[in-house]
Amino acid sequence: MAVSGLLMLGYLVAHVAGNLKVFFGPEEFNAYGHWLRVMGAPVLHHEWALWLVRIALLAAVVAHAVCAYQLSRRDVRARPTAYVHRRKRASYATRTMRWGGIILALFIVWHILDLTTGTVHPGGFEEGKPYQNVVDTFSTWYGNVIYIVAMLAVGLHVRHGFWSAAQTLGVGDARRERLLRAAANTLALVLTAGFVSVPVAVMTGVVS
């Protein structure tokens, strides 16, 4: 679960960096979208590299979900009766990890249908014009609500998941705990702010 989570975290960092190109205008953002489809050329054919990334990401998502289910079942079998006194020190991010994962799974489906296939896109979806497609999506109230709620869930998930993965992989210890928690908080904040800045920019007219 830790390894698949870190793989997805690496993707999120790359994804938010790409998303922020929207602030440089339609020409640069559309060129970035085109590059995603031709990266690896001429060694790889059109979109082959993109599909390899998608397959790897899908495998990470499935592995993460399966591991989460297995760990949950082990937890129930190990302690079929709930504790009389709940641990109050658990953070909000820790307590909502499961629901956050469900929210993100549903969001991924919507996000693909909206900006990849155009199936539920609110405007006239245009292949090869991601800038206009992004503006169309975030020109609707529900597109903004779905995206911002999902990105807040991403932040909470990363905040707890990054620190937890470090403990699982043996990186964390008592001396590094404060540093790891600070890194987790900073990473979660930067990712959330970066993703949310795009719909906010469309809403305020900075991106149009």
Side-chain angles (χ1 to χ4, degrees):
M1 190 170 188
V3 172
S4 60
L6 290 176
L7 286 173
M8 289 188 288
L9 179 59
Y11 168 79
L12 286 174
V13 171
H15 191 37
V16 75
N19 281 7
L20 294 177
K21 286 183 175 290
V22 76
F23 289 99
F24 295 96
E27 184 175 344
E28 183 154 346
F29 193 68
N30 289 340
Y32 166 67
H34 175 71
W35 173 80
L36 289 176
R37 285 163 172 74
V38 299
M39 61 179 174
V43 176
L44 299 178
H45 289 287
H46 186 71
E47 292 193 355
W48 278 22
L50 181 59
W51 274 105
L52 288 173
V53 172
R54 287 170 173 168
I55 292 169
L57 186 60
L58 177 61
V61 170
V62 171
H64 203 68
V66 170
C67 289
Y69 174 77
Q70 290 175 337
L71 288 173
S72 178
R73 297 305 301 169
R74 286 184 182 182
D75 187 42
V76 171
R77 286 196 298 269
R79 181 79 186 190
T81 304
Y83 287 104
V84 175
H85 300 289
R86 292 184 177 274
R87 187 178 61 177
K88 295 182 179 180
R89 292 182 61 191
S91 68
Y92 182 76
T94 303
R95 297 194 303 271
T96 57
M97 281 294 282
R98 183 176 302 172
W99 287 110
I102 293 172
I103 289 172
L104 292 177
L106 294 173
F107 168 75
I108 289 170
V109 174
W110 175 81
H111 196 49
I112 291 172
L113 292 176
D114 177 29
L115 292 174
T116 301
T117 67
T119 307
V120 298
H121 189 68
F125 183 79
E126 297 184 71
E127 186 71 36
K129 294 187 178 180
Y131 184 92
Q132 188 57 48
N133 294 333
V134 166
V135 171
D136 288 343
T137 291
F138 297 134
S139 294
T140 63
W141 68 267
Y142 61 87
N144 289 315
V145 169
I146 292 172
Y147 193 85
I148 291 173
V149 168
M151 293 308 102
L152 292 175
V154 165
L156 289 172
H157 215 75
V158 168
R159 181 175 180 267
H160 174 72
F162 179 81
W163 179 84
S164 181
Q167 305 305 309
T168 300
L169 297 174
V171 177
D173 57 29
R175 292 176 301 171
R176 298 195 190 103
E177 183 171 356
R178 181 176 296 181
L179 177 62
L180 286 171
R181 288 193 181 278
N185 290 338
T186 301
L187 189 57
L189 180 61
V190 169
L191 283 173
T192 303
F195 280 121
V196 170
S197 68
V198 178
V200 169
V202 174
M203 282 190 287
T204 56
V206 174
V207 172
S208 61

